[in-house]
Amino acid sequence: MCGICGEVVFNGTKADVVRISRMTDAMEARGPDSMGVTQRGRVAFGHRRLKIIDLSDHGAQPMTDTALGLSLVFNGCIYNYKELRAELIEKGYSFFSTSDTEVILKAWSEWGKDCFSRFHGMFAVAIHEHDSGRFHLARDRFGIKPLYYSEAGGRLAFASSLPALLAGGNIDTSIDRVALHHYMSWHAVVPAPRTILNGVRKLPAATVRTFEADGRSSDFTYWEPVFAKTPEDLARSAEEWRDMVLEGLRKSVRRRMVADVPVGVLLSGGVDSSLIVGLLAEEGQRDLATFSIGFEEAHGEKGDEFQYSDLIAEHYGTNHHKIFIPSSELQDNLPGAIRAMSEPMVSYDNIGFYLLSREVSRHIKVVQSGQGADEVFAGYHWYPKLTGSNKPLQDYASAFFDRTEEQMAEAVSPAYHCEKDESLAFAEAHFARPGAEDPVDKALRLDTNVMLVDDPVKRVDNHSMAWGLEARVPFLDHELVELAGRIPAEFKLAQEGKGVLKEAARKVVPSAVIDRPKGYFPVPALKYIQGDYLDMVRDALSSQAARERGLFNTAYLDKLYADPTKYITPLRGSELWQVALLEMWLQAQEV
């Protein structure tokens, strides 16, 4: 787990090593253990290292294999690297390290683009072929590891974080109007390749982009989930699916134990993280480190779920760390959490993950986390509304979108209006793709490929890596996701959502954490904005930078200030926090 960056030049000049050094320095938190910068003519790489596998200097990056004529930088972890290494040795390759990084170099030499289909893991990779001059960028199937880039003046720059690109300079920081529409429609989700800034884009998940020496590029998509059902799938019983899911999850959790350092768990007390703890206990993990966080209640809403995390910790005898954050500490740390975001993200649990990661990083370097289960196994409240729907797009939008076009016009200044409902058009095109006939599957496919990538997955990466902590997500094992896609919706929607997963969990964990009401990561102070928090967001939105930018209509903001707790989105988000967070993020990045 690391931070990567680089520059490739297509105009006949050399790469700017000083620019790479600035970007590398900006990612120190992602890789506090060591750094490296190399240049080979028109290509320069930078790397920050967090030592997880092969703790020796042999695993340092940027990594070059002169015999193969390849260099790379890599962020992430290849969980099956030992098996691939053994296969490559049988083919005649020799290794100078025990790292998964070197396995990628050899795998590329042997299989080219097809190597990524062989990897179980999370990764963002840049590979330079010395002889041909070709350059390749690749990202894992779910975009768990970020990869941002900018193209200007015959130069391509890339980095693990958007702030690192900004540190490199020469970036167009004007606002992308279509991205703003998505941000305001989908509670801050901006689908790839866009970001909120016109000058920065992100590589889509499961994509390999190849640049020829003259700058021409082409994309190769090496994976996508399938939601089609065979006759055998439709004939399977609930019990068969339960057992298949449990076995698939066992395998996924086992894969993510690969490390040369201890692995812990972020334990919310919900069924997802509790199941991970239970499966690790089955694997023989002893004295497992688990971590939970809670906040002060506000507006009558409880700010922690300690009763459930305590239950699991006691049941399995984990080395449990319970962290309570008072309101004053929450507010003091908000600026740091916002600066750590590669893109503005409004979910309240951003600050939770930021502070939780701070505490966890004092004990260990690697954790497993339960993100992805709700999108993969249909745990959210809008999925049942699509059962048998004759107008799935409209039903999805009414349950999921933050605003109608009329409300968008009320909120966003005319200078930033789009000519059409860009977010609805995006969802419509996604729903129209073949391969997911059931309306519920259409929504699950969109959420798994888009919303999951650019909300919970990004949230976990940004805030864990802000403290040099690697977070692994077993519910996003691609084989498990493929299995879930084949399960008929009725089995996933049972028991108020995630029915098949809950039945699998009953064979592992206490029923008290399964049959409880569905919980969310509660941070009430950011949902019901009052007192000092109201002053904070008002100051951000009335600052000179905000007035000059002019993103939002004054009358709309005044309405929100007058009664912040009244204006809550369909997904229980604060409208005022959503608009304030964007402005605070832009100011934190000095845009």
Side-chain angles (χ1 to χ4, degrees):
M1 185 69 71
C2 311
I4 65 174
C5 63
E7 181 179 75
V8 185
V9 182
F10 302 106
N11 59 15
T13 60
K14 291 185 177 181
D16 186 347
V17 178
V18 175
R19 184 186 193 189
I20 301 307
S21 295
R22 290 198 302 267
M23 290 196 288
T24 306
D25 288 343
M27 295 187 295
E28 181 178 1
R30 294 188 70 93
D33 293 335
S34 65
M35 70 167 288
V37 174
T38 61
Q39 180 190 14
R40 193 179 190 88
R42 64 186 190 87
V43 178
F45 286 154
H47 186 263
R48 299 290 325 198
R49 188 180 184 198
L50 179 67
K51 294 181 179 179
I52 303 295
I53 292 175
D54 188 350
L55 308 185
S56 75
D57 290 341
H58 294 298
Q61 298 183 51
M63 184 176 284
T64 296
D65 189 317
T66 53
L68 297 178
L70 297 172
S71 298
L72 70 63
V73 280
F74 154 59
N75 168 30
C77 183
I78 307 302
Y79 304 127
N80 62 330
Y81 79 99
K82 291 181 180 178
E83 295 86 344
L84 292 171
R85 189 177 191 270
E87 184 177 353
L88 289 162
I89 288 173
E90 286 186 2
K91 291 180 176 292
Y93 289 90
S94 59
F95 287 78
F96 53 80
S97 77
T98 58
S99 69
D100 52 345
T101 305
E102 190 182 0
V103 169
I104 298 174
L105 273 175
K106 266 66 172 184
W108 177 268
S109 175
E110 179 65 23
W111 298 302
K113 296 176 184 177
D114 291 335
C115 72
F116 297 107
S117 299
R118 294 173 174 262
F119 295 160
H120 292 283
M122 52 184 183
F123 50 85
V125 184
I127 299 175
H128 177 214
E129 297 179 0
H130 302 167
D131 293 339
S132 69
R134 291 191 188 93
F135 177 78
H136 312 272
L137 294 174
R139 200 172 176 201
D140 66 68
R141 296 169 179 84
F142 296 100
I144 299 170
K145 302 321 303 169
L147 191 54
Y148 294 90
Y149 64 90
S150 178
E151 296 179 276
R155 291 172 179 261
L156 167 77
F158 67 90
S160 293
S161 76
L162 189 151
L165 277 180
L166 294 179
N170 194 31
I171 303 293
D172 175 5
T173 59
S174 61
I175 300 297
D176 183 321
R177 291 186 301 169
V178 175
L180 178 62
H181 194 287
H182 293 329
Y183 176 93
M184 296 288 284
S185 296
W186 290 334
H187 34 281
V189 169
V190 176
R194 295 182 185 275
T195 76
I196 200 69
L197 303 181
N198 275 312
V200 179
R201 292 296 181 252
K202 54 200 174 195
L203 189 71
T207 298
V208 182
R209 179 166 298 169
T210 295
F211 293 86
E212 302 296 334
D214 60 6
R216 291 177 294 120
S217 66
S218 59
D219 282 4
F220 169 63
T221 301
Y222 62 88
W223 182 86
E224 59 181 340
V226 176
F227 286 81
K229 278 77 171 164
T230 66
E232 291 77 14
D233 291 334
L234 296 172
R236 283 195 176 92
S237 67
E239 291 74 22
E240 287 180 279
W241 285 120
R242 175 201 63 198
D243 294 344
M244 292 169 71
V245 165
L246 184 55
E247 183 53 36
L249 191 55
R250 281 196 177 108
K251 185 183 296 184
S252 177
V253 168
R254 192 179 303 127
R255 280 175 178 151
R256 283 153 183 80
M257 293 170 65
V258 173
D260 293 334
V261 295
V263 179
V265 177
L266 302 182
L267 177 60
S268 69
V271 63
D272 310 327
S273 59
S274 299
L275 183 51
I276 293 171
V277 172
L279 292 174
L280 285 169
E282 280 190 355
E283 292 293 325
Q285 290 278 86
R286 295 292 179 265
D287 299 318
L288 179 68
T290 55
F291 303 84
S292 302
I293 193 168
F295 302 90
E296 289 183 20
E297 70 173 51
H299 207 66
E301 184 169 312
K302 191 172 174 62
D304 70 72
E305 296 188 318
F306 287 151
Q307 68 183 100
Y308 299 109
S309 57
D310 286 351
L311 188 157
I312 291 297
E314 183 176 351
H315 184 81
Y316 291 105
T318 70
N319 178 17
H320 191 51
H321 305 259
K322 188 162 58 175
I323 303 149
F324 179 78
I325 304 296
S327 183
S328 58
E329 187 176 354
L330 170 64
Q331 189 169 357
D332 290 344
N333 281 277
L334 272 173
I338 293 170
R339 282 193 301 272
M341 298 176 183
S342 273
E343 298 175 69
M345 298 178 286
V346 300
S347 295
Y348 307 129
D349 57 4
N350 279 288
I351 183 63
F353 276 111
Y354 179 77
L355 291 172
L356 181 59
S357 297
R358 180 190 69 182
E359 298 302 316
V360 174
S361 67
R362 294 170 177 169
H363 302 272
I364 55 177
K365 285 186 173 184
V366 183
V367 289
Q368 297 204 33
S369 180
Q371 272 61 47
D374 286 305
E375 292 83 356
V376 173
F377 288 100
Y380 291 128
H381 66 84
W382 54 87
Y383 298 126
K385 298 177 182 179
L386 293 168
T387 303
S389 173
N390 293 320
K391 44 184 180 55
L393 177 65
Q394 291 75 15
D395 289 340
Y396 179 80
S398 65
F400 192 84
F401 281 25
D402 290 332
R403 290 169 179 80
T404 64
E405 277 298 276
E406 182 180 0
Q407 292 170 320
M408 190 77 72
E410 178 193 17
V412 177
S413 299
Y416 292 99
H417 284 180
C418 294
E419 295 181 357
K420 64 178 182 179
D421 188 334
E422 294 284 355
S423 303
L424 189 66
F426 182 96
E428 182 177 23
H430 211 284
F431 270 40
R433 289 167 48 192
E437 303 308 316
D438 188 302
V440 175
D441 283 339
K442 291 180 185 294
L444 287 169
R445 182 175 62 181
L446 176 58
D447 290 354
T448 300
N449 284 273
V450 179
M451 307 308 170
L452 179 64
V453 173
D454 275 295
D455 189 6
V457 164
K458 181 169 63 185
R459 193 186 323 153
V460 172
D461 174 83
N462 283 193
H463 294 306
S464 60
M465 291 308 296
W467 300 101
L469 177 69
E470 175 178 314
R472 300 176 175 181
V473 279
F475 285 101
L476 295 187
D477 184 277
H478 73 274
E479 291 182 349
L480 182 65
V481 173
E482 289 170 351
L483 172 64
R486 291 162 44 206
I487 301 174
E490 64 195 81
F491 296 122
K492 287 181 279 195
L493 294 175
Q495 302 179 43
E496 299 182 345
K498 294 194 293 192
V500 66
L501 182 63
K502 290 176 180 176
E503 284 304 302
R506 292 185 197 282
K507 299 178 79 71
V508 181
V509 301
S511 60
V513 299
I514 300 171
D515 298 322
R516 53 167 288 195
K518 180 173 176 58
Y520 295 88
F521 211 137
V523 189
L526 298 183
K527 180 177 179 180
Y528 305 107
I529 298 176
Q530 298 171 328
D532 291 343
Y533 292 94
L534 181 56
D535 293 339
M536 176 185 65
V537 301
R538 192 194 296 266
D539 288 347
L541 288 165
S542 61
S543 66
Q544 181 178 347
R547 292 197 305 271
E548 290 176 353
R549 206 173 344 259
L551 290 175
F552 306 110
N553 291 320
T554 302
Y556 172 70
L557 295 179
D558 289 340
K559 181 182 79 169
L560 299 185
Y561 297 148
D563 192 356
T565 62
K566 179 180 179 181
Y567 299 100
I568 304 297
T569 69
L571 293 189
R572 297 183 285 276
S574 163
E575 290 191 39
L576 180 56
W577 179 246
Q578 186 179 38
V579 297
L581 186 279
L582 173 56
E583 188 57 52
M584 287 190 286
W585 181 84
L586 290 167
Q587 292 175 30
Q589 307 305 330
E590 300 181 357
V591 171

